[in-house]
Amino acid sequence: QVQLVESGGGLVQAGGSLRLSCAASGNIFSINVMGWYRQAPGKQRELVATINYGGSTTYADSVKGRFTISRDNAKNTVYLQMNRLKPEDTADYYCNAAGVARAAWEIGRGSDYWGQGTQVTVSS
């Protein structure tokens, strides 16, 4: 079984910064894509940023230039540096690990996992 544990959420004033971390543990050989999603009250969960094993990234337009996603493959950990935060960034942030392979033969067809979420509140 694989577990994702997020940390780093909290309350910050508009314009401030936070850094989220998500560590994956368990029977892991490699993780294809790691990402962050968020869900604000009354809204659907939306993609924030993703990064693949090779380091290629994607970002939601709303966070481009303010957020930076990175990962440490050796530690199976993904980070989200959030700068110039805005009140509209307030949400529960969820870590996702897609294509988690337990062995080399499983690369390309591994399972997906979610973290429990961490709350980010940006005050105006």
Side-chain angles (χ1 to χ4, degrees):
Q1 186 68 346
V2 173
Q3 288 187 325
L4 303 181
V5 178
E6 299 122 330
S7 60
L11 173 64
V12 64
Q13 287 188 332
S17 298
L18 282 174
R19 188 186 192 220
L20 305 183
S21 299
C22 171
S25 61
N27 188 8
I28 300 171
F29 178 79
S30 68
I31 303 174
N32 185 18
V33 179
M34 300 189 80
W36 291 94
Y37 293 72
R38 67 186 181 187
Q39 187 168 16
K43 295 187 177 182
Q44 290 188 330
R45 190 173 296 189
E46 63 176 4
L47 180 147
V48 176
T50 65
I51 182 168
N52 69 11
Y53 191 87
S56 295
T57 59
T58 62
Y59 293 94
D61 287 342
S62 59
V63 307
K64 282 181 181 177
R66 300 188 297 122
F67 291 9
T68 302
I69 189 170
S70 60
R71 66 187 282 177
D72 184 331
N73 291 329
K75 296 181 179 179
N76 292 320
T77 299
V78 64
Y79 307 95
L80 185 68
Q81 178 67 43
M82 305 185 292
N83 298 327
R84 292 185 282 139
L85 282 159
K86 304 176 181 180
E88 50 264 44
D89 294 318
T90 296
D92 290 326
Y93 283 70
Y94 296 88
C95 174
N96 173 263
V100 180
R102 294 170 295 176
W105 61 267
E106 204 170 42
I107 293 175
R109 42 184 168 168
S111 300
D112 297 353
Y113 298 89
W114 289 92
Q116 81 286 354
T118 186
Q119 190 172 54
V120 172
T121 303
V122 184
S123 63
S124 57

